[in-house]
Structures are given as structure tokens and as C-alpha cells.
């Protein structure tokens, strides 16, 4: 029997699963209503639910998983191509809550396996440091490198901060392009300073900014304007996860990049790099 797939909020669809029939909707007061129209007993389950806007999505997800467990499902895999709550990976100031760890514990208590793409691993070196459930981490670096090879001539890859070196270097090596890493200082959610040392000698290249998450887009916006001040052509901005909080996308467009390209871990009009095959490689 094919595993049963619940597509909760997913740009993906896979032939190898049977699609589960269910209703998830909100009551007028914001509470969630869930109805599962499938026999789930002894079934292997895949839930496709990218957890951007996690506070809204986590409760219906937990209701679904609790129901499935109660009905005697065999194994539950959550495929959340974007994994939230990874950036509070340290107690920066006394009294702060280490939400990355608590969120990981909450999910690990309820699912058997997690599949995700490029989680923000900075101070944690791997997901198992906080996720107790089995987990599989996928990387979009090959797909991003392929996009660059086919669409951008003579690129210079720019990682906007120290954390980004892990993927900027790998993508640059794959493409056969040079790379530089910017120095970013974040003052608060919306204030970011950026310097791009060593970039001047690449004036003839097409600048390509690559980051994992685009949230407020301030990181990308500051990089776009630093390049403009230095007299570069407008850059191509590539992000894995199109979080785009509030007006972030419009603000980034207004900053004047050549293009904004994202992977489809979160549904967004900028999705141009399809990760279906990458995700399917984990099943
Ligand atoms: C930070 O460490 C991440 O890699 C991203 O650079 C960051 O999340 C981007 O955030 P924002 O779009 O809000 O500047």
C-alpha cells in the first residue's frame, strides 16, 4: 500500500503517495477545524507542511499528528522544507528563551521523522543537537548552482554574512566562479550594516547574492545598495527560503536588484528553483 500524504501547505505533489482527503479550515474566531476523510490505521504517513508563519501552523499540525497517532498510524514523517525557529540558537541576553530548542522538542515529541531543506545551522552544527526524532537535512546547493550555470554569465558569488560561507563557497566551487563573503552587522530586526571587502576587483562580473532565509530582506537590501554605491551592475538575489515578512518583497524590489529568485520551500511568486526531486530523494 502506498504511504498516505497530507498536503497541508505545500508547493509539492508526489505520485508515489496516495493523497489524503481532509479538511482544515479556520472558524471565524481563529480556532482550527480538522476532519480526516481517510482510514489511517496502520498507514505510513507523510505530512507536507512548510512551517513559515509557524505560530499559526503549529497548532493545526499538532492536532493532525495527535489524531493520526490516536488512530494507530504506523510512522509519521513531517516534510517541512522550511524549518522555522532556528535563528534563536543562543541565549544572547540573560532571560531569553532558547526557542530553537523548545520548538525542536515540541516537534520531536510528536513526529517520527523530519525532512527539511537547509535549516539555519549556525551555532548548531547539525539538527540532531536539538531534534530527537530521526531527521534528514537536504541542501539546495546543487539546484542553485545549476540555476546559476544556466542563467547567469560570469557570476561573482557573494555571501552576505559569515554564516553564508558554507553554501556560498560550495555553490561557487560547483559553478566555477569566485566568491566573497560580506561583513554584516545586525543592530536589530530592521537595521543591518554591510561591507563587502574584496569585491572591487570583480566589477566586470555579474553579482549574485546568495542567502538561506530572506525574512525582512534587510540583509539583501543592504547588500544591493552596497554594490550600487561601488558601481556594480544590479545583482541577482537568490534565497533558499522566501519568508518575506510583511512588505519585505516589495522593499527588496524597490532596492533595484536585477532579479529575485527563490527555491520553492515556501510558496512565493519568486520561486524559480524547483526542489521536488531533491525532496523526493529523501523518501
Ligand atoms: C542570518 O543569519 C540568515 O542567514 C539571513 O541572513 C537572515 O535571516 C536574513 O534576514 P533578513 O532578511 O531579515 O535580513
Amino acid at each position: 500500500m502506498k504511504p498516505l500524504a497530507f498536503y497541508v501547505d505545500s508547493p509539492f505533489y508526489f505520485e508515489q503517495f496516495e493523497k489524503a482527503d481532509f479538511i482544515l479550515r479556520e472558524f471565524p474566531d481563529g480556532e482550527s477545524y480538522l476532519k480526516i476523510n481517510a482510514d489511517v490505521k496502520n498507514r505510513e504517513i507523510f505530512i507536507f507542511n512548510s512551517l513559515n508563519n509557524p505560530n499559526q501552523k503549529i497548532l493545526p499540525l499538532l492536532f493532525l499528528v495527535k489524531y493520526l497517532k490516536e488512530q494507530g498510524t504506523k510512522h509519521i514523517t513531517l516534510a517541512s522544507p522550511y524549518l522555522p525557529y532556528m535563528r534563536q540558537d543562543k541565549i544572547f541576553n540573560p532571560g531569553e528563551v532558547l526557542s530553537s530548542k523548545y520548538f525542536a522538542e515540541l516537534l520531536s515529541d510528536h513526529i517520527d521523522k523530519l525532512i527539511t531543506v537547509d535549516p539555519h545551522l549556525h551555532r548548531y552544527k547539525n539538527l540532531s543537537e536539538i531534534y530527537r526524532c530521526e531527521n534528514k537535512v537536504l541542501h539546495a546547493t546543487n539546484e542553485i548552482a545549476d540555476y546559476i550555470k544556466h542563467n547567469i554569465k560570469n557570476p561573482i558569488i557573494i555571501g552576505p554574512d559569515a554564516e553564508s560561507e558554507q553554501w556560498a563557497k560550495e555553490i561557487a566551487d560547483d559553478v566555477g566562479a569566485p566568491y566573497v563573503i560580506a561583513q554584516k552587522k545586525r543592530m536589530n530586526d530592521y537595521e543591518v550594516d554591510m561591507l563587502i571587502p574584496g569585491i572591487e576587483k570583480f566589477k566586470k562580473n555579474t553579482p549574485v547574492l546568495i542567502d538561506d532565509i530572506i525574512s525582512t530582506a534587510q540583509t539583501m537590501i543592504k547588500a544591493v545598495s552596497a554594490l550600487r554605491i561601488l558601481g556594480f551592475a544590479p545583482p541577482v538575489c537568490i534565497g533558499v527560503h522566501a519568508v518575506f515578512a510583511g512588505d519585505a518583497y516589495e522593499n527588496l524590489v524597490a532596492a533595484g536588484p536585477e532579479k529575485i529568485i527563490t527555491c520553492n520551500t515556501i510558496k512565493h511568486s519568486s520561486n524559480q528553483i524547483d526542489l521536488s526531486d531533491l525532496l523526493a530523494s529523501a523518501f
Side-chain angles (χ1 to χ4, degrees):
M1 196 182 279
K2 288 178 173 182
L4 193 57
F6 288 79
Y7 297 99
V8 181
D9 178 17
S10 166
F12 302 102
Y13 176 77
F14 297 100
E15 293 283 335
Q16 59 266 54
F17 302 123
E18 181 186 329
K19 186 169 182 256
D21 181 15
F22 70 101
I23 300 167
L24 168 59
R25 70 172 185 90
E26 256 190 24
F27 286 113
D29 60 4
E31 293 183 1
S32 296
Y33 171 85
L34 252 176
K35 182 172 186 299
I36 316 305
N37 301 316
D39 184 2
V40 297
K41 196 170 164 54
N42 291 325
R43 298 294 298 270
E44 186 182 351
I45 306 287
F46 280 77
I47 302 172
F48 293 91
N49 193 2
S50 212
L51 292 174
N52 55 310
N53 295 323
N55 294 7
Q56 266 178 24
K57 290 181 174 177
I58 193 70
L59 205 52
L61 173 64
L62 294 183
F63 291 158
L64 173 61
V65 168
K66 277 182 110 34
Y67 171 88
L68 293 172
K69 284 247 162 103
E70 231 170 57
Q71 297 297 312
T73 50
K74 219 164 48 190
H75 187 272
I76 300 177
T77 298
L78 169 67
S80 179
Y82 171 63
L83 187 62
Y85 278 112
M86 287 298 291
R87 283 175 291 174
Q88 182 84 44
D89 55 359
K90 180 183 161 180
I91 297 171
F92 298 93
N93 299 294
E96 281 179 356
V97 165
L98 194 55
S99 50
S100 52
K101 181 168 166 276
Y102 295 160
F103 190 78
E105 286 171 1
L106 185 68
L107 276 187
S108 302
D109 282 345
H110 290 89
I111 58 171
D112 299 305
K113 182 174 177 183
L114 171 69
I115 300 173
T116 191
V117 178
D118 287 318
H120 187 78
L121 291 171
H122 179 206
R123 290 174 187 87
Y124 300 125
K125 295 302 164 220
N126 65 69
L127 221 48
S128 299
E129 286 181 43
I130 48 173
Y131 277 82
R132 284 192 310 265
C133 59
E134 189 188 344
N135 60 75
K136 174 80 185 160
V137 170
L138 301 165
H139 299 287
T141 39
N142 287 344
E143 284 72 10
I144 294 175
D146 278 353
Y147 176 88
I148 296 171
K149 283 181 209 163
H150 291 109
N151 294 283
I152 304 172
K153 287 210 180 83
N154 196 23
I156 164 73
I157 308 296
I158 305 163
D161 52 28
E163 294 104 284
S164 66
E165 179 151 14
Q166 46 185 313
W167 50 85
K169 180 183 183 326
E170 202 176 321
I171 292 168
D173 288 351
D174 188 342
V175 170
Y179 78 97
V180 296
I181 300 299
Q183 288 170 4
K184 173 169 102 177
K185 189 166 170 220
R186 172 154 241 141
M187 277 69 78
N188 56 44
D189 293 349
Y190 286 93
E191 269 183 284
V192 169
D193 267 354
M194 174 103 30
L195 284 174
I196 316 182
I199 188 74
E200 288 81 358
K201 60 178 183 275
F202 297 108
K203 279 259 169 69
K204 292 199 174 122
N205 298 56
T206 308
V208 181
L209 289 156
I210 303 183
D211 209 350
D212 57 347
I213 300 168
I214 312 180
S215 176
T216 65
Q218 286 304 316
T219 300
M220 284 290 186
I221 290 169
K222 288 292 151 50
V224 171
S225 67
L227 289 164
R228 197 183 42 230
I229 291 164
L230 293 168
F232 276 80
V236 177
C237 297
I238 302 182
V240 179
H241 306 295
V243 171
F244 290 120
D247 295 336
Y249 182 69
E250 291 71 20
N251 294 339
L252 179 53
V253 170
E258 171 67 25
K259 277 188 216 152
I260 304 166
I261 307 290
T262 59
C263 302
N264 56 349
T265 59
I266 298 171
K267 278 189 215 160
H268 190 265
S269 58
S270 60
N271 291 165
Q272 284 197 41
I273 301 175
D274 178 28
L275 301 186
S276 306
D277 290 347
L278 177 69
L279 213 58
S281 71
F283 307 150

